[in-house]
Amino acid sequence: MSASQTSSSDVPADVPADVPTLLVKIFGKDRPGITAGLFDTLAAYSVDVVDIEQVVTRGRMVLCALVTEPPPGLEGDLRATVHSWAESMKMQAEIISGLGDNRPRGLGRSLVTVLGHPLTAEATAAIAARITKAGGNIDRIFRLAKYPVTAVEFAVSGVETEPLRTALATDAAKLGIDVAVVAAGLYRRAQRLVVMDVDSTLIQDEVIELFAAHAGCENEVAEVTAAAMRGELDFEQSLHARVALLEGLDASVVDKVRSEVRLTPGARTLIRTLKRLGYQVGVVSGGFTQVTDDLKERLGLDFAHANTLEIVDGRLTGKVTGEIVDRAGKARLLRRFAAEAGVPLSQTVAIGDGANDLDMLNAAGLGVAFNAKPVVREAAHAAVNVPFLDTVLYLLGITREEVEAADTVETV
């Protein structure tokens, strides 16, 4: 909540702690005109507005106004008039005398986003208790979305971001919810580059397994892929081993694989919303340009980079060409994309699921583990474990209502 002041008194904008103030609270069934009516009533007593907050939940309103004390001798009349007005509006009023403004927020400002499917009272209680135990104070709670998951944001002060993130991570895993902790500030809205992994992140599939299915070696490739994603095998070696199994496959299979690729639920919404907000969006993949180039065109991506399957005389040779996109390569590409986009690395977002995404997630300003392996979830800044990619928008402070409003404008 922010303070404001009219010019009708000599009280400074930063109200001293010893200046008398009144907290006026109105609550009841929401209807048009309540806010205007309250302040029209207060205006007759020459008070200044120090703070305002209004919340409406399932049609019930709570409106709080912190105002300066009226001129001597008028406080009793103000109280009676406000109560009479509230009664006429079938509302209830409460007026509390005090001194000064709200107490200053503690040092250390963080935003804690909690995602639940569903979000239980038990989980909410546990997260709130953990914030308190870590030394934080919850200053405000705001719902970002009610579907496909329930997403709420806690504004927390009094504790630094990193220790708060560490404190909440263990509880989140035990409770079966997702918790993301980021530093509050203008930079959050300034993140202007999002880079995603492709296989099992942007899409539901592992592209090499789609190719392998056509070559009749799907099981062998899947076993090597799983071991590589768990970090048990060197990615480059595993890539060469898997691609070698595709030797001799007709190049016409590329079009078939493209048609078989399934986008992750929410992928189009995520990209469309980010683009409307002015973000640049890219993908990096340990898969193949034969698929990522097609995705770039279809989805309007700004950047795309992957390995390239070698094709000679209309057949796959079982080799890849060019520089290998591995774990370190993904981080290098994130930095390259950021430089080309003119975006500081601290204002980038990276999303991935496998061990080969870890360097990229750690290099980004915000690294998001999406339905990731345990080693990745533990290392990332935030984790999302629901099957909807657009829930990443909530970690950026974008609400479901804003997404839907943008879609409505686009279709008008």
Side-chain angles (χ1 to χ4, degrees):
M1 295 185 288
S2 59
S4 61
Q5 181 197 13
T6 66
S7 59
S8 59
S9 79
D10 295 327
V11 178
D14 185 12
V15 177
D18 59 350
V19 171
T21 52
L22 299 176
L23 175 60
V24 181
K25 183 168 74 171
I26 305 296
F27 48 99
K29 185 177 180 181
D30 185 33
R31 63 176 66 83
I34 298 296
T35 305
L38 172 62
F39 287 98
D40 187 52
T41 302
L42 293 172
Y45 296 91
S46 301
V47 298
D48 292 333
V49 177
V50 178
D51 202 352
I52 310 171
E53 185 148 347
Q54 178 174 305
V55 177
V56 178
T57 304
R58 208 180 68 179
R60 308 295 292 184
M61 167 195 277
V62 177
L63 170 59
C64 293
L66 185 64
V67 299
T68 55
E69 188 180 53
L74 294 182
E75 181 178 335
D77 190 49
L78 179 151
R79 288 174 174 269
T81 302
V82 169
H83 280 284
S84 177
W85 169 81
E87 185 176 349
S88 73
M89 300 299 292
K90 298 182 179 180
M91 306 284 283
Q92 298 181 61
E94 182 180 6
I95 303 175
I96 303 172
S97 298
L99 296 174
D101 197 350
N102 304 303
R103 65 179 183 181
R105 295 179 63 189
L107 296 177
R109 309 285 176 84
S110 300
L111 296 171
V112 178
T113 305
V114 180
L115 308 179
H117 188 56
L119 179 60
T120 65
E122 176 188 11
T124 306
I127 292 301
R130 177 60 69 179
I131 290 172
T132 301
K133 187 175 180 179
N137 183 71
I138 299 172
D139 301 314
R140 187 171 182 266
I141 304 174
F142 177 71
R143 186 177 72 180
L144 295 166
K146 58 184 178 181
Y147 74 91
V149 299
T150 300
V152 294
E153 181 179 272
F154 295 76
V156 177
S157 61
V159 59
E160 295 299 329
T161 299
E162 286 301 326
L164 181 60
R165 179 183 292 143
T166 301
L168 293 177
T170 301
D171 281 1
K174 291 179 180 177
L175 295 166
I177 59 176
D178 296 328
V179 177
V181 184
V182 299
L186 291 177
Y187 87 96
R188 189 195 195 195
R189 286 286 190 179
Q191 290 169 326
R192 286 290 180 258
L193 174 65
V194 176
V195 176
M196 290 175 275
D197 173 43
V198 176
D199 292 8
S200 299
T201 301
L202 178 63
I203 66 174
Q204 301 177 58
D205 313 282
E206 292 288 333
V207 168
I208 196 167
E209 293 177 13
L210 297 179
F211 277 100
H214 291 280
C217 57
E218 185 176 11
N219 291 336
E220 296 94 318
V221 165
E223 290 175 5
V224 179
T225 299
M229 291 301 98
R230 291 192 299 267
E232 297 171 2
L233 293 176
D234 173 80
F235 179 80
E236 183 171 350
Q237 291 177 337
S238 71
L239 176 67
H240 287 304
R242 289 175 291 173
V243 172
L245 296 171
L246 307 180
E247 182 180 1
L249 197 60
D250 193 282
S252 63
V253 79
V254 169
D255 289 334
K256 295 178 182 178
V257 168
R258 287 174 175 173
S259 68
E260 292 166 352
V261 166
R262 301 166 299 162
L263 291 175
T264 298
R268 288 187 183 276
T269 300
L270 171 68
I271 294 169
R272 181 174 65 245
T273 303
L274 291 172
K275 296 292 289 181
R276 288 173 179 168
L277 291 172
Y279 283 63
Q280 296 188 60
V281 184
V283 294
V284 291
S285 177
F288 310 110
T289 56
Q290 282 83 356
V291 171
T292 58
D293 287 351
D294 180 63
L295 290 170
K296 180 181 179 183
E297 182 178 351
R298 285 167 52 195
L299 300 174
L301 302 174
D302 300 285
F303 305 99
H305 200 93
N307 301 303
T308 299
L309 290 169
E310 184 180 64
I311 298 175
V312 176
D313 296 330
R315 293 190 177 278
L316 276 63
T317 67
K319 300 177 181 178
V320 292
T321 62
E323 182 182 2
I324 297 298
V325 179
D326 56 6
R327 174 170 170 168
K330 288 188 174 185
R332 285 195 301 271
L333 287 164
L334 172 68
R335 294 186 176 93
R336 183 193 305 174
F337 293 167
E340 292 177 12
V343 174
L345 201 59
S346 62
Q347 294 177 2
T348 62
V349 180
I351 310 168
D353 74 298
N356 66 329
D357 297 313
L358 276 173
D359 289 3
M360 176 177 71
L361 298 182
N362 290 329
L366 175 63
V368 180
F370 180 73
N371 291 311
K373 314 303 183 286
V375 65
V376 183
R377 289 200 303 269
E378 292 169 6
H381 301 128
V384 172
N385 294 297
V386 293
F388 313 107
L389 192 56
D390 54 339
T391 55
V392 173
L393 293 169
Y394 310 143
L395 307 186
L396 306 179
I398 301 165
T399 69
R400 173 56 61 179
E401 287 78 8
E402 289 171 326
V403 173
E404 293 175 347
D407 284 341
T408 300
V409 171
E410 186 75 9
T411 58
V412 171

